[in-house]
Each structure stands twice: as C-alpha cells, then as structure tokens.
Amino acid sequence: SHPDVKGDPKIGYYIYRDVLRYGPLSPLFDDNELEDISYSGSRSGAYGDVVWVFHREFGTWLPTNIHLTPEEADYLIQRIVLKSGKSVTLARPIVDGITPEGYRFAVTYGSEVSLPGSTITIRKPLEEVWTLSDLVYKRRTLSPLTAAALWYTLENRGVVLIVGRTGTGKTTFINALMTILPPTWKIVTVEEVPELRVIFPNWTRLVARKSTTFMEYSEAIEIPLDKLIAHTLRIRPDFVSVGEVRTKEEIREFIHSVASGHGGVTSLHAEDFDSLKARFNYSGVDDSFFSLVTMIVFINSYPNPERKGGLRRRVQEVGEVLLRGGQATYKQLVFYNPVKDDWDDSRIINSERLLQIAQRNGLSQKELEEELKVRADFLKYVYEKGLSINQYKEELMRFYEERGII
C-alpha cells in the first residue's frame, strides 16, 4: 500500500517507490520466486544495460525489461548502501551489507574497480521457512526414509554435513533440518549473512562482523566466523548450525565445537568424500576427530525434463562416516537415480551409526526401523494436513511429549 498525494495515486506510487523503497528495482524485491538480482554496468548493445534476475523455478538467469543508465545505477547504489547504514565513496568503492529487510547485497561504485561502471548484486533469502516435510513431499528433495534417518541422527545430537555447489539449496536444506529438532532445545546459528531462520523460541543468532575501516587495527574490529563458532562452546547449546564453513579455521572450530557433545550441521563444497576428508585433514582435523561427523548429505541440481530450462534440487547421495583402524571411511546409504527421479534408500536400515544411536537408547534394529517409520509417517501427516507453521510447532511438540522428550 502506498500513500496518495492529494488524491493522486500515481504521484503517491512514485514517491513511495523512489523515496522509501528501491526505485525501479522495487517490483523485483516483491517477487518471491527471484533468488538474485544483478546489474553489471551499462554497456552498448542488446541487454547491455539491463537488470538480470536468477529465477528459483527456472534455475537460470533471465533478463528483465528494466534498463539503468550509469547515473541511475550510481544513485540506486547510494540508496541501497545508505539504507543499510553504511556509505560508499570512490575512495571505498566496494561495499557489502544487509538491507533493513534482510537482503544481502554487494556493490561496486563507479569505474574504480569495475568496468564499465557500477555493479549491483542482491541476494534474496527465502521468505517462508520450508519444513523437512515440505522438502520431502512438496519439493521432492529427498526420500521420506532419508529424512527420517537425518531426523533421528540430529535428534540424538549427531553431526551432519551438507555438501554441494552454490545454488543447490544448502541453506534451505539446513533450515529444513532445524524444523524437526525438539522445540525447547537451545539452538545456536552462526553465519556471515543472517539467512537461517529458526521457528522455535530458544534461538541464539550469531552473525560475523566485517571490519569497516582502513585503520591498522582493522583486525581488532573484525569478528570472523571462526571466533563466533569458538564462542558457541561457552553458551551451552543443544545444537549448533553454521551456515557454511570455508576456511581452515572455520572447519577446525566447527569440529571442536561439536566435539563437546552437542549436535550440529554445516555446509561446504567438495566433489566427493575423499576431497572432503582431505579438506578436513588439511585444516588440521585428523580422522579420529573427523569421524565425529555422523552423516554426509551430497546435494545437487539436475535438469527438469518436465519443465524446459527448469532445475530439480535433489539429494544425490547420503553416507555415514565410520572409523576403521584409525582411518575415517565412508559407507553409502542412499543413492539417487536421475532417470527414475527416485532413490535407493534400502541400506539405511543397516546403517552402523544409526544402530549405535539406537543401541545407546536401548533399542534393537527392529525398534530402530519402527522409530524411523514413525518419523516418516509424521512428516507425511503434517504435509497432508497442510498445517500452518504454528500448528506444525504444536504437532511437533506433541510428538516429542509423547516420547518423553521435552
């Protein structure tokens, strides 16, 4: 809704759009299907000065009919940066930050560091929270049994790694995994950009801080991700979720954090188990520590034959980490077949790590199967009922209360 100016809705619209919002980019902010908005400077030729968007459903970049002149782009950048409480100048032409609505942006100003001129990239996090049930039944990202196995792992303070490229939906997946934890748990999220959303009240949200000055003391002002992960040790969490670990320090601190016994999930990029293990070893995490990881989920995007140009995000495979004679080894449990668009998850029931958890809880393999089935049934039940987030939380609370987990 925008204000009418002396009864003229058109002028009201433009004042609202250009003063309070983001000028000609405003409609793009309102479209939930858009993941990224990008402008790369004004060039001559077709599409030389247009704004591009990355569409969630089509999984590709599309040109819009919004054209920006260099002057308009410079003005827009000033507005976006100002709204986030920062400033951009020719002396400091690279700025990244977060708008008041929670959109992540990265801009370069003028032609100091980017040719032919200013560039804008804006990342829009998913507005609504997808539950694990949504991912299984609405999005078909993973099979019900796989979801049940991950749920059982995390509920028993296991550690899960989500591995995949940019744009495969790692953040959405992590967020969905956090919707099945016991609602009274103390959940701590650590991120560089606040994207994760926890639907339960006992949530501590930590966000890394970048240094904002050119002084010699900039290190003292910066609070990097690895320092925040180390801080989680002191605040007694039940569960720690780190958006993504990239550096040696972050990987090492994450493992040290979960080594104290709480559950955890994080994401990173690696091609396969061997390169993943090599990254941990290189970061100073030996195999005995690496085997604290219970499950590894490889996630990928595949072309969607039903929709030309569309993409399907699917769990490619899931495996467990086992320690054999001091060596961490990998055992595949779930495998995706892109031709059938289905999973072979028959090995889950023989998972050694799940059986260890079950035995610790005094359960036999048969009872473990029952536990997994109950969880898969719950996910189906809440999907079929079409519950709101608040109703979903009530159902989950009831699920845990019946099992004596409060």
Side-chain angles (χ1 to χ4, degrees):
S1 62
H2 47 80
D4 288 358
V5 177
K6 290 267 171 69
D8 188 333
K10 278 193 182 140
I11 296 176
Y13 167 77
Y14 281 105
I15 287 177
Y16 177 68
R17 188 194 84 168
D18 294 350
V19 177
L20 296 174
R21 299 205 64 211
Y22 299 95
L25 297 184
S26 302
L28 305 179
F29 281 89
D30 297 332
D31 187 342
N32 282 337
E33 286 301 314
L34 302 183
E35 219 164 75
D36 289 83
I37 302 166
S38 172
Y39 171 77
S40 304
S42 186
R43 295 177 181 75
S44 55
Y47 299 132
D49 59 353
V50 305
V51 175
W52 292 74
V53 293
F54 191 91
H55 200 279
R56 209 170 247 124
E57 203 57 35
F58 294 107
T60 182
W61 287 98
L62 306 169
T64 65
N65 59 356
I66 301 170
H67 301 257
L68 297 179
T69 64
E71 294 74 29
E72 286 173 325
D74 288 353
Y75 175 70
L76 259 173
I77 283 176
Q78 292 278 14
R79 285 212 52 73
I80 292 168
V81 172
L82 199 66
K83 277 175 86 90
S84 75
K86 295 186 174 184
S87 64
V88 61
T89 60
L90 292 177
R92 189 165 176 261
I94 304 175
V95 179
D96 56 79
I98 299 154
T99 68
E101 300 89 346
Y103 304 132
R104 177 166 92 189
F105 67 83
V107 297
T108 59
Y109 185 61
S111 51
E112 299 298 304
V113 292
S114 55
L115 295 174
S118 299
T119 68
I120 306 171
T121 307
I122 299 163
R123 180 84 189 270
K124 290 174 58 201
L126 201 62
E127 289 297 315
E128 53 185 320
V129 175
W130 291 92
T131 64
L132 191 57
S133 168
D134 291 331
L135 285 197
V136 173
Y137 290 103
K138 257 190 205 156
R139 293 268 153 164
R140 295 205 60 239
T141 307
L142 70 167
S143 73
L145 188 59
T146 311
L150 293 171
W151 177 353
Y152 192 68
T153 302
L154 294 179
E155 180 196 315
N156 287 282
R157 294 181 164 77
V159 179
V160 174
L161 296 184
I162 313 297
V163 183
R165 291 178 285 106
T166 308
T168 46
K170 298 193 294 279
T171 307
T172 308
F173 199 87
I174 288 179
N175 221 100
L177 288 176
M178 290 194 294
T179 59
I180 46 79
L181 300 173
T184 54
W185 269 17
K186 180 170 182 177
I187 299 170
V188 179
T189 60
V190 187
E191 316 166 75
E192 280 185 340
V193 176
E195 286 184 308
L196 295 170
R197 307 250 306 275
V198 175
I199 59 176
F200 308 125
N202 195 359
W203 171 30
T204 304
R205 189 179 208 182
L206 304 177
V207 181
R209 185 174 77 184
K210 287 195 168 62
S211 86
T212 49
T213 57
F214 275 134
M215 294 159 37
E216 300 153 46
Y217 308 112
S218 61
E219 286 78 34
I221 293 155
E222 188 172 348
I223 303 173
L225 205 64
D226 56 278
K227 294 270 188 297
L228 284 180
I229 302 171
H231 176 69
T232 61
L233 278 168
R234 302 181 192 102
I235 54 181
R236 196 173 174 176
D238 291 295
F239 190 85
V240 170
S241 170
V242 181
E244 185 164 10
V245 287
R246 293 185 189 90
T247 66
K248 291 197 297 192
E249 293 78 17
E250 289 164 12
I251 288 173
R252 202 164 55 231
E253 289 298 346
F254 175 74
I255 286 292
H256 286 169
S257 173
V258 294
S260 64
H262 52 251
V265 62
T266 187
S267 71
L268 68 164
H269 177 52
E271 287 306 316
D272 51 31
F273 175 75
D274 290 333
S275 58
L276 180 71
K277 191 171 102 154
R279 270 192 75 181
F280 274 78
N281 292 159
Y282 168 69
S283 304
V285 177
D286 65 13
D287 280 13
S288 63
F289 262 100
F290 182 55
S291 62
L292 287 166
V293 175
T294 321
M295 299 263 179
I296 301 173
V297 178
F298 290 90
I299 193 166
N300 213 335
S301 47
Y302 298 88
N304 186 352
E306 290 161 24
R307 186 167 200 161
K308 208 171 178 189
L311 284 179
R312 305 199 270 221
R313 287 169 176 156
R314 298 286 187 262
V315 163
Q316 181 180 327
E317 67 171 273
V318 178
E320 59 183 348
V321 181
L322 304 169
L323 200 60
R324 296 262 191 272
Q327 291 287 309
T329 59
Y330 177 75
K331 181 175 148 197
Q332 189 190 65
L333 300 173
V334 179
F335 186 72
Y336 174 65
N337 180 341
V339 180
K340 291 182 182 162
D341 187 26
D342 209 353
W343 292 266
D344 176 0
D345 53 17
S346 55
R347 293 182 213 151
I348 282 182
I349 214 58
N350 297 316
S351 154
E352 291 181 37
R353 296 297 291 265
L354 285 178
L355 274 167
Q356 283 169 13
I357 296 170
Q359 281 164 358
R360 212 167 54 224
N361 293 336
L363 303 178
S364 65
Q365 184 171 6
K366 196 90 200 101
E367 288 166 317
L368 168 66
E369 278 183 52
E370 190 50 43
E371 286 291 315
L372 297 181
K373 187 181 176 307
V374 164
R375 280 160 184 73
D377 289 348
F378 176 85
L379 295 174
K380 188 164 192 186
Y381 166 78
V382 295
Y383 167 71
E384 286 173 347
K385 277 269 189 279
L387 305 177
S388 70
I389 280 291
N390 282 335
Q391 292 168 320
Y392 169 80
K393 285 195 278 196
E394 282 171 21
E395 285 293 337
L396 189 69
M397 199 74 182
R398 198 170 299 132
F399 177 88
Y400 277 119
E401 279 171 359
E402 283 168 5
R403 277 155 192 76
I405 303 166
I406 304 295

